[in-house]
Amino acid sequence: MATKTDKKNVIRKEIIDSANIYSQNLAGRTFLYVYGEEYFEVSFPVDHFLHLTGVETGLSAKDFYKNAKKGKLTSSQFYFNGRHPYANTKKKLPCLKRLPELTNEVVCILKDMKTVTITYKLSLTNLEFTLGLTENIDATGKKTDGFFVPMSLRVEDSSIKKSKDGEIVDFIFSKDASVSQYDNLLKLPIPKIGFTP
């Protein structure tokens, strides 16, 4: 039977793997989601990675990501508590490794998804997990740009029920964050799902 240390080491490895996937596929890129006559842009800042893991740490969000990406994150640099329980982290990390699917496969755009603490104006879901998005704001609460950023990774099937409305994405464009124009149209498979809020 796995000890507490064994379980924490498994979580550590999952976080490191997730950080590498985040680094290779999401960080430093922006994505344009087009659905109907609406669109929005999403960026994946490195300081938002920590919150998606579901663990607590004494490190800054950037240092946590940097340590994880370099494989230097230790088991003593993160922990679990009432707000960040082990069971949630264990469910989130496999989905965090799959997060790029929300940028290159058919997804639903959810509007006004309500949780206990916040209503997400926009969210992305593949019906297995949902990424709650917020506007990119600075420490004073001022909007820094027009991008949405990831705030919450939810592994549940009730996100659609908790949303006011939703649509299937028509197109996803991507680009390196350092350039001004989108240069890549991601080919999406024909959806096999319907959406009923």
Side-chain angles (χ1 to χ4, degrees):
M1 188 158 135
T3 67
K4 193 173 181 179
T5 302
D6 293 337
K7 289 178 181 179
K8 204 162 181 198
N9 283 329
V10 168
I11 294 294
R12 176 188 165 274
K13 183 181 180 328
E14 293 279 306
I15 291 170
I16 289 169
D17 291 347
S18 298
N20 285 311
I21 291 167
Y22 194 92
S23 170
Q24 292 167 10
N25 298 284
L26 303 171
R29 299 202 60 76
T30 58
F31 299 87
L32 174 68
Y33 290 83
V34 180
Y35 56 105
E37 294 184 19
E38 298 181 69
Y39 65 90
F40 62 93
E41 292 177 287
V42 178
S43 70
F44 290 86
V46 297
D47 58 349
H48 283 248
F49 174 79
L50 167 62
H51 194 66
L52 303 178
T53 65
V55 300
E56 188 62 73
T57 183
L59 299 172
S60 72
K62 285 185 180 178
D63 285 343
F64 180 88
Y65 174 76
K66 185 172 67 173
N67 286 1
K69 184 180 156 196
K70 291 180 178 179
K72 294 182 178 181
L73 185 72
T74 67
S75 296
S76 64
Q77 292 177 321
F78 66 91
Y79 57 93
F80 310 102
N81 58 23
R83 277 188 62 219
H84 298 96
Y86 168 78
N88 282 0
T89 299
K90 189 176 174 188
K91 285 192 319 189
K92 283 184 176 195
L93 287 174
C95 297
L96 182 54
K97 291 194 323 193
R98 293 176 53 201
L99 200 58
E101 291 176 22
L102 299 182
T103 66
N104 61 26
E105 294 187 10
V106 174
V107 294
C108 292
I109 310 297
L110 301 179
K111 297 178 183 177
D112 298 322
M113 181 183 72
K114 290 186 185 231
T115 68
V116 174
T117 56
I118 190 170
T119 297
Y120 293 96
K121 185 176 175 183
L122 293 170
S123 300
L124 300 169
T125 187
N126 63 2
L127 305 182
E128 292 180 52
F129 57 90
T130 302
L131 186 65
L133 304 170
T134 60
E135 292 179 305
N136 198 12
I137 55 173
D138 63 19
T140 65
K142 185 177 179 186
K143 204 166 143 176
T144 58
D145 53 36
F147 293 116
F148 282 83
V149 293
M151 184 64 174
S152 176
L153 181 59
R154 309 187 71 76
V155 184
E156 56 184 55
D157 58 2
S158 61
S159 295
I160 290 175
K161 293 176 189 167
K162 294 178 180 178
S163 302
K164 225 185 230 184
D165 194 12
E167 294 186 44
I168 293 176
V169 70
D170 294 317
F171 303 101
I172 303 172
F173 296 87
S174 75
K175 70 178 180 73
D176 187 283
S178 65
V179 299
S180 60
Q181 293 195 3
Y182 285 91
D183 56 0
N184 189 16
L185 170 62
L186 300 163
K187 183 168 173 47
L188 302 176
I190 297 170
K192 296 177 184 169
I193 54 173
F195 179 82
T196 307

